[in-house]
Amino acid sequence: MRIGVFVCHCGSNIGGTVDVPGVAQVARAYPDVVFSSDTMYACSEPGQAAIVDAIREHALDGVVVASCTPRMHEPTFRRTVERAGLNRYMFEMANIREHVSWIGKDREANSNKAAELVRMAVEKLRLNAPLYPKSFDVTKRVLVIGGGVAGIQAALDCADGGIEVVLVERESTIGGKMAKLDKTFPTVDCSSCILGPKMVDVSQHPNIRLYAHAEVEKIGGYVGNFKVDVRRKATYVDWELCTGCGLCMEKCPSKKSPDAFNEHVGVTTSINIPFPQAIPKKAIIDPTSCRQFVKGKCGVCAKVCPTGAIRYDMEDQVVTEEVGAIITATGYDLFDYTRYAEYGGGRYPDVITSLQYERLLSASGPTGGHVKRPSDGKEPKTVVFIQCVGSRDRSVDRPYCSGFCCMYTAKQAVLTKDHIPDSRSYVFYMDIRANGKMYEEFTRRAMEEYGVQYVRGRVSMIVPQGDKYLVRGVDTLLGEQVEVPADLVVLAVGAESSHGAPQLAEKLRISYDNYGFFMESHCKLRPVETNTAGVYLAGACQGPKDIPSSVGQGSAAAAKVLGLFSRGRLESDPQISQVDVRRCVGCGKCITTCPYGAIEWMELRGEMKARVIETVCQGCGICTVTCPQGAIQLQHFTDNQILAEVNALCLS
Amino acid sequence: MPVLKGKELRVVGFLCNWCSYGGADTAGVGRFSQPTDLRIIRVPCSGRVDPMFVVKALLGGADGVLVSGCHPRDCHYSQGNFYARRRLETLKTFLPALGIDPDRFQYTWVSASEGQRWKNVVSTFVEKVHQLGHAPRIEEAAPYLPLAEKGDTLPAPLRPLAWPAAGTLTASLEQLREKIRAALPELDCVIGWQQGFDALHATPLFMRKPEDVDKLTWGPLNVHNLATYLPQFKNRKVGVVVKGCDSRSVIELLQEKLVEPDNVRVFGMACEGVVDVERVRKAMEPAEGAACTDVAPAAVAVEGDGLAFEGDTPVRLKLADVVAEKCRTCDTPVPLLGDVVEGNASAPAGPGPDAPPSLEALDAMTPEQRRGFWRAQMDRCLRCYACRNACPMCVCRDHCIAESRDPHWTTQEGNVREKLQFQVIHALHLAGRCTECGECQRACPVNIPVLALKQWMNRSVLTLFDYRAGVDVNAVPPLLAFAVEEKNIKEHGL
Amino acid sequence: MMSFARYIARGELARALDDMARGRVAYAPRREGDAVVFRPRAEGEEPLLARATVPPKGVIFPQSERLFAFIREKDPNDPGRTTVRLDSTVDIEPALIFGGRPCDARGFHIFDRVYLNGPYRDPYYAARREATVVVTLACTKAGSTCFCHWTGCGPADATGSDILLTPVGGGDEGGFVAMAVTERGCAVLEQANLPEADAARMDAAQAVHAATQAALDAQSPAPDLSATPARLLERFSDADFWRDMSDKCLSCGACTYLCPTCYCFNITDENDGGDGMRGRRLRSWDNCMSSLFTREASGHNPRMGKALRLRNRVGHKFSYYPQLHEGVVSCNGCGRCITGCPVSVDIREMVVRATQANEETPNA
Amino acid sequence: MPDAITPQAGVHATTLGTGFTDNPYLPDVATVLETVQETPAIKTLRVRIDDPARMESFRFNPGQVGQLSLFGVGESTFVINSPPTRMDYLQFSIMRAGEVTAALHGLKPGDKVGVRAPLGNWFPYEDMRGKDIVFVGGGIGMAPLRTLLLYMLDNRADYGNITLLYGARTPTDMAFRDDVQEWLGRSDMQTTLTVDQAPEDWPHRAGLIPHVLLDLAPSNANSVAVLCGPPIMIKFTVEALKKLHFADEQIYTTLERRMKCGIGICGRCNIGTKYVCVDGPVFTYAELKDLPNEL
C-alpha cells in the first residue's frame, strides 16, 4: 500500500501543544507510509487540495489525516479522497485535537501520543478495503401508525406529496386526543372545527388507505422495503355496507357499554359510533357488553340495519402491506391519577381528569356541553384545578414536565367561566410554564380577565365534606394554609407514553427511553429520525407535546419521507457485517443476538449458513463478537483491523 | 519522537462512536485536562468490543484497558451495550483466574454530552492504573508448580460412590444392549464404549451391526463424554450412550440447536463415578525407577465402592480415592434425558456441589502465584488442541480461531502468551455453555489443569446470571441474551 | 565402539552428568504436574529416570522457531522506497539430552533421513543436531503400549544415540553401564572420569536388554510388517475400513506432537508490534490430523475428513516412509500416541488390521 | 537497530545463509517490476531478484515453480511462467484465492517480495524435441503451459506441430491476452480459444474444452499432450485424449497441492510416496495412475 499522512496544526489548536512537523516526520518511518506532511488547516480548501494533489503525485491508495475528531470531519475528508479517485473507506483519521492537544499541555507527552495515534490509524488503514454501497429499489408507500393529529398531518402531507399512505389507527376512529378536546388554547378555537376537515380529508384522499380499529402486528424488512402485517380487529359490522346512519345505536337495548370516547363519563350503547364526526363514521359492536355476544340472543341491530351490515361472526383479519418508510405517531396516554391517594385515589366521583372535563365542556359530549358534575348532575360553582398530577413528580417516577397542562388548565378555567358565569375557579400550580406564542398572554388573561384564582402550591389532601370537597394545600407565596370547598376538582393529569409503546418500539427496532417515549436520532439535530433507517417519529410518542409541535413534527416526518423517496433508489451503508461462508459453521448465534433481525438462514450446498441482509444491518458488530470462529465480520471494523490497532499499541 | 519511559503507562480505551467517543470529544472541546496515557480505539458500539481484545491487550503488555459505551437504554443500536455489559462483566470476573488484577480493566457508560464525566472517568481510571503500576507479564512470572505428588488425596465425594453388584450391573447392561439393538436399524450408529487397549482403558465404540452391541461395556472406566461426537452426525440419525454428566452436554447441544432432537437417540444409565486414569496409574506406579510409566493391570474388577486390579502386584483401590474430580461434586448421576435404563444412583449427600478441588486450589493462590502457575503449566502445552477437539461444545473445530489468520487472534509461536491466549478464548467461548464434563483436561496429553479456568468461568456465570449450562433444553445461554435491568451486575462507579 | 563402556554408580549419576554436560545445556526429564517433560537441568540435580510424557524432539526441532527475521528499511530520502533485509541468525545451544529412551533417540534417526539426507539439507535442524549429544536410557520394563520391537527399534536400540545407559543391579547397589555409540559419545563420556564397565557389568547389561526384549515379546509377539507398505496401499480406497478406524478419532494433534518421529511443520509469518517494520518467519510443529494441514486457499482439501487424514498418518509411517527409506518405518513403537490419545486410538490395531484383514475383505 | 538476537552465554549465534542458494528456507529478496491485471481474478507479477549476481546466475527449466512470499503475510507456490529463454524477469500469475494471493494482488511496482526458486521438476522439454505438441489449458492452468510454449516458440525449429487449445469460463476470464493475440497471428502454431459462455460477438469457439478438443482431434502420432487446469477439466480432457488414442505416457500435467517448505520436508504435499514439491509438479498420466487416488 502507499499511504499518505497529513498532520494538521489546526492553527495553534493542535500546533500549540503538539510538535506537528515532528509527528509528520515520525510517521514517514511507518510501514507503507510513502508521504507525510504537516498542514495548517487540513479541512480548508487549500488543505484539501494539498491532499488531492499528494494522492495524485505520490500515487497514494490510502490516507491518514491527523487532526480533529472524525465525528467532525470524517465525512469531509472522505469526500476529499473520493475526489482524488480513492474509495472513501481508504481513509482513517487520528484524533489529535479533542483527544490530545486540548486535554493536556505536556508537549512531549502529547507529541508522543499523537504519533502513536497516527501509527494506530496507519495499521488500521493497511487492512482497510474499498467498500461500495449497494443500491436497491424503494417501495414508495409510507405507513403511518396512529391517527391523531400528528399522524393525520403526516398522512396528509405525504399523500399530498403524491405517495400512497397506509394509516393504521388503534381506535375505531381517527382524531386521537385532539378530537376529544372542546377548544384549543390560546385562541379558544373549536377543536373539532379545525380537526374535523382534516379528518375528512383523510377519509377522502385517494392516496390514503385507512385501517381504523387495527394494529400493527409484525414488521419485517428494511428501509425502502418494509413488510407490515396489520391486524384488522373485528368490528362485527361490515364497514363496506355501514352508512353510519346511527339507527342501530338508537335501537340498541344494551346501553351500559363503557364510553371510551367520552373518557368513561357515562355509558353508551353496545353498538356505537364514537362521536358524530368520527372518521370513518362506522358502527362497531363492543362484544363485552353486547347481548348477542353475552347472552347469545338479541340481534336487534341486525334486524334494524337498513343495509344489513351486522356480522356477529366476524373475525380479526391480518393484511400485509408493503411500504418503504414508517412514521410512528402513536401519541401518549394519560397518567393514572388514582395513584395519588391524597386526591382520593379515584374514589371521589367529582374528582375528574382534565380530559373528562373536556368532554363535559364539549357540546358533543355526554352532557351536551352543560357542565354537570358526575355525582349528582349539579352545576358546579367552585371548580378547583390541580396541576402537575403525574408531572414533575419523582415519587411517581414522572420527573418530566408534560408541557401542555399549564395551558389547557388556563383554557379550561376560562371556559368554565364562559359556561358558568357565576362560578369561581382555583388553580393550584407549581410554576406556570407558558413558553409558546401568545401563551403567557393567555394565562394572564385567565387570571386577570376571568378572575381565575392561581394558588402557587401543592394540594396536600382532598377531603369530601357534605356534597363538597375540601381542597387543602399551602399557598407558598403567602406562606399559609389554604382550604377551598370545591364542587368539582379537575386534575391536570400529565402525559405518559402510549400503552404498548415499548412493544411497538421492539417491532420497529427503535429505542425508547425509561418512560417508554421513543428515542429520536439526535435530540437537537435529528428530532424526527430514529436510529433505524426509514422509521420516523411524529408527535407525542417521542415526548409530551402540544398540538402545534405535533403538527409540526408530522409535517417534518412527512418531509423526511418525501425526501427519502425523492431518490429513485437507496444506497445501503457498506459498513455492515459480512459472512465468510467458508468459515461459518451454521450455529446461528449471530441470528440470536442481532438486534435488527438482519441475519437470516440460507442453505448452501445442503448446509445451513448465516447471511446478512445488507439493507437491514446497521453495523453494530454485536454479531462479530458473538461468532466464535469469527466468520461474520463487521466491514471496516473487522477483528483484524481492531487487532492491528491493539497490536500496534501493546506488542511494542 | 522521544519515548516516554516511566512517565506514562499503557492504557487502551475502546469507545463507542456514538456516545463515549463523543463524550471524549466533548471533554476535549471543554479543554478538560486529562492524563495523557490513554489511547482510544474507536468502535461502532460497545457491543463490538470482543472481550478477547481486552485480553489480547492485557496479555500483550497493556497496563489498563477501559471500555466505554452509551448508557444502558441509550444504545444507538438499542441493545449493543446490554450485550456488552454481560460480556465485559463476565470477563472482569474471569481476569483474576489468570492472575490479572481486575482493576486493570474497567467498563463504564459515558454519553456524548458528558464531557466532565469523561474527564473524571479517565482521570480516576488512569490514576488507579498508576497506583497499580506496570502490569506484570505472565511470561515473566516466577513459575509456581505446587507439586501434585503421587498420593495426593481428594476431599471425600459428596455422595457415597458404590457401583451395584456385578450381577445387577450385568443385568442393566443387558437391558441397555437390548434397547440399542432394537433401535439400531433406524440409526446410522450408536456410540458407546468398549474395552480399550489395556484393562485400564475403555475406548469409544461405534455400533453399527447388532454384534457390535455385544462389545458395549458399562462401568467406571467409561470416562469419555461421547456427546462430543454428535455434531459431526448432522442430518443423520445417531444414538449415544450417556452418563448423567454427559447428558448435560447433549442438552446443551440440543439447546443451541447444534444437534436436532429428531436425529438423536439418547440411551442412559445411572453412573456411580468414573475413574481418573492418571490417579489410578499413579497409585499403581512402582517407586520411581527406570520403569516405563505406562504399566497397566492385567484386569480390573469393580467391587462396589472399590476397584480391584489384577497383575504382578494386585491392588485394591477405593473408588473415592481415584475417582475423577468432577464426580466428587456430581449432582446429576442419572441422565437428565433419554431412554434411561438404570436410574438408581445415589443422590449427593452434601448440601449441593461445592467448589471443585482444582478451583479451590486456584482460589487459594495469590495473583502472582496464579500467573506463575499458568506460566509453568502452559509452558508444556503442545498446542495439539485435544482440549478443544474433545470438548463437546467446541463445534467450530476446523474453523477455530486458534489457527486462523483471518481473524488472527493467536500466532503460531510456542510461547506461554499465545498458549494461554487460546485457553482464554476457549473459556470465554464456553462462558454459559460449559457443562464441566472435564473432557478438555482429561484429553490433555500433558495433563494441564485447563478445566480450572472453565470452572472459574462457570462460577462467574452462576453468580452473575444464576445459570448452569446443560440443564434446560429451552434455556438461552446467558451471553446470547441480556436483561434491561441486570439483577447481579452492579454498575461500576467510575 | 561398543568396547568403550564405563560404569556409573547410582550415587554418581548426577556428578557424572554434570561432567558430561560441561559447556552444554543438559535436558533431563522433570515432573511438571502430572506430566514428565524435558527441561534444562540444574547442576547437581538428581535426574528423574521415568520415561517422559513428551519425547525430547523439541530440543533439536523446537515447537516453534524463527527461520529468519525480516526488517523493512526505508530510504531516508524517499519513504516510498523500502528495502527488506533478512536476518537468519539463530541461537544454537550446545546441548545434551539425558534420559530419553531408545524409541526417543531413534526418532532423530528418522528425522535425519529426511532433514539431513533428503533432496535438501535443513540447516536449522542440522545445526542443532550437530550441537546436541544424546544420552539414552535403555528400558527395563515393557509398558502396556510399548511395541518398539515391532518396528525395528527395541529396548536397547542405540540408533540415534551417542551414549546408551543401561541400568544394572538394584537399589543403591545398582548403577549404569554407559556405552558410547558414537565418537562424540566417547568424548563426552570421557569427560566424566568414570571407571570402565567390567565384563560382569557388561553381561548384566546384556541380560537386562534380553530380559526386557523377552517381556516385550511375551506381551505382544512382533508381527511381520514387511508386507504392510503394500497392504496399506491396497487398503487405500477402502472407505469403510478407514471410517471404522477413524470413527472415534477427535482429529486433534496429540498423537503427532507426542510422536518422536513426526516431523511435519508449518511456516507462517508474524509481524511485530512497535513500529511495524519488522517481523518473523516461523517454522512450527504441524499436524496431519488437522483439516488445515492440506486445505488449499480455494477451499479444496484433498484430505477432507478425519478418515483420510488418519489414513495418511498410518500410510506415511508404515508405507510411504519405508518405501522411500529402505524399509525403515517411521514409527518407533513408543506407544505415546496410544497413551496420549484422549480416546485411545491404537495405531497397532490399525496396522495389524490393515495388514491382516485384507484376505478377508478384499474390497479395496 | 538491534535486530540480531543478543547471544547468550554458551549460545552460538549462527547465521544460516543469505539466500535460497545456501539456505533453502531463506528467500531471495526481489522487486516487483511490473504488474498486469490479466482478469478480474488473475494478476501477473514480474519480479527481479535484487542481488544482480543471483539474478544473473538464475537458471530454471519450464514447469518449475517458486515460492513467492510477502513478508508478514506468507508464502505460496506459483509456476514461473516466463520461459528460461527470457530472463529479464521472472513472471508469476496469481489467482486470487486466500490471504497470501489477496495480498500479492495488492502489490505495486517497487514492492518487495521473497522468491525461493526454482523448485520441483519440469516438463521434459528435451525429450519432447521433434514431437508434435498439443497444449490444453483451462483458466489459470494456462500459466504453466505458457512457459513451455514460449520456450518452444523460442526454439521453434526443435519441435513439430504446436497446437494450443485454451479455454476459460468467459472471455473476461481469459489471461495473457497479448500473448494470445500473438499466438493467434502466428502461422507456425494452431491456436484455438474456447469459452463456456460466449457473448454474441465472440469470434472463437464456445463449449467445454474436452468437446472442442475432440472436435480438433489432434493426432496422437509422435505427439505429447500437455494439460493444465482445474481437476474436473483434467479428468474429462484425459478421457478425450484417450478417445484420441493418446497413451498415458503421452499425457503430461502439473499438480497443485498446499505446500509450505517446497523442498520435500514439511510433509503435506505427498500423494503416497511422491512429494508434489520435489517429485512434481509435472507428472505423466501414467505416473499419476500409479499413485494413490488422493487428489
Side-chain angles (χ1 to χ4, degrees), chain C residues 176-349:
Chain C
F176 303 86
V177 169
M179 283 175 283
V181 184
T182 62
E183 294 286 353
R184 184 166 62 176
C186 283
V188 165
L189 197 50
E190 273 199 293
Q191 285 174 202
N193 190 23
L194 291 163
E196 203 146 335
D198 58 27
R201 287 191 166 120
M202 292 298 285
D203 289 348
Q206 290 298 336
V208 166
H209 298 167
T212 316
Q213 180 71 46
L216 282 161
D217 287 336
Q219 177 173 296
S220 62
D224 177 8
L225 297 182
S226 57
T228 304
R231 290 285 161 81
L232 278 168
L233 283 177
E234 290 163 26
R235 274 281 181 207
F236 197 83
S237 300
D238 185 348
D240 285 351
F241 177 79
W242 292 110
R243 182 202 63 193
D244 288 351
M245 293 297 101
S246 65
D247 260 339
K248 61 188 172 188
C249 172
L250 295 171
S251 227
C252 75
C255 50
T256 63
Y257 296 154
L258 293 174
C259 176
T261 73
C262 267
Y263 59 73
C264 295
F265 61 81
N266 196 359
I267 298 179
T268 48
D269 282 16
E270 297 294 347
N271 287 298
D272 292 343
D275 66 3
M277 295 298 281
R278 59 193 63 213
R280 298 136 287 152
R281 183 158 295 171
L282 301 174
R283 179 245 290 280
S284 35
W285 292 0
D286 205 352
N287 138 42
C288 57
M289 296 291 98
S290 160
S291 124
L292 301 179
F293 191 66
T294 49
R295 184 159 77 202
E296 290 159 22
S298 64
H300 173 69
N301 193 342
R303 293 182 205 140
M304 194 77 102
K306 59 188 182 180
L308 303 192
R309 301 198 281 273
L310 197 66
R311 175 179 73 185
N312 184 67
R313 177 171 155 82
V314 177
H316 182 222
K317 292 197 174 303
F318 288 92
S319 176
Y320 318 147
Y321 190 99
Q323 287 183 63
L324 293 169
H325 296 280
E326 301 145 325
V328 173
V329 292
S330 68
C331 167
N332 300 332
C334 75
R336 284 193 181 91
C337 55
I338 309 167
T339 25
C341 176
V343 290
S344 303
V345 172
D346 190 341
I347 196 167
R348 294 171 298 189
E349 185 196 348

Side-chain angles (χ1 to χ4, degrees), chain B residues 132-144:
Chain B
L132 296 170
H134 264 297
R137 307 292 292 264
I138 283 177
E139 57 265 47
E140 286 163 7
Y144 176 69

Side-chain angles (χ1 to χ4, degrees), chain A residues 2 61 582, chain D residues 97 106 108:
Chain A
R2 296 177 62 84
D61 48 18
R582 286 191 293 191
Chain D
K108 291 190 158 71

Side-chain angles (χ1 to χ4, degrees), chain A residues 69 71 74 95 99 103 106 108 113 116 514 531 582-583 589 596 626 628 637 639-640 650, chain B residues 4 7 10 17-18 25 33-34 38-39 42 48 60 73 76-77 83 87 256 399 405 408 429:
Chain A
T69 171
R71 285 163 54 96
E74 192 174 60
N95 183 347
H99 293 184
I103 61 166
D106 183 333
E108 187 193 18
K113 180 173 175 180
E116 285 196 4
N514 283 348
N531 287 332
R582 286 191 293 191
R583 288 189 70 74
K589 290 185 172 63
Y596 298 96
T626 310
F637 290 97
D639 283 343
N640 275 2
C650 295
Chain B
L4 298 175
K7 200 155 125 187
R10 179 62 74 213
N17 177 53
W18 304 98
D25 285 350
S33 95
Q34 297 158 45
L38 181 73
R39 309 282 184 267
R42 184 167 68 125
R48 173 67 189 93
R73 294 174 196 272
H76 180 83
Y77 302 102
Y83 286 109
R87 293 165 180 164
E256 297 185 29
H399 305 285
R405 287 181 70 90
H408 194 36
H429 283 183

Side-chain angles (χ1 to χ4, degrees), chain A residues 489-504:
Chain A
V489 180
V490 178
L491 304 176
V493 285
E496 59 183 32
S497 61
S498 181
H499 72 267
Q503 289 76 3
L504 179 64

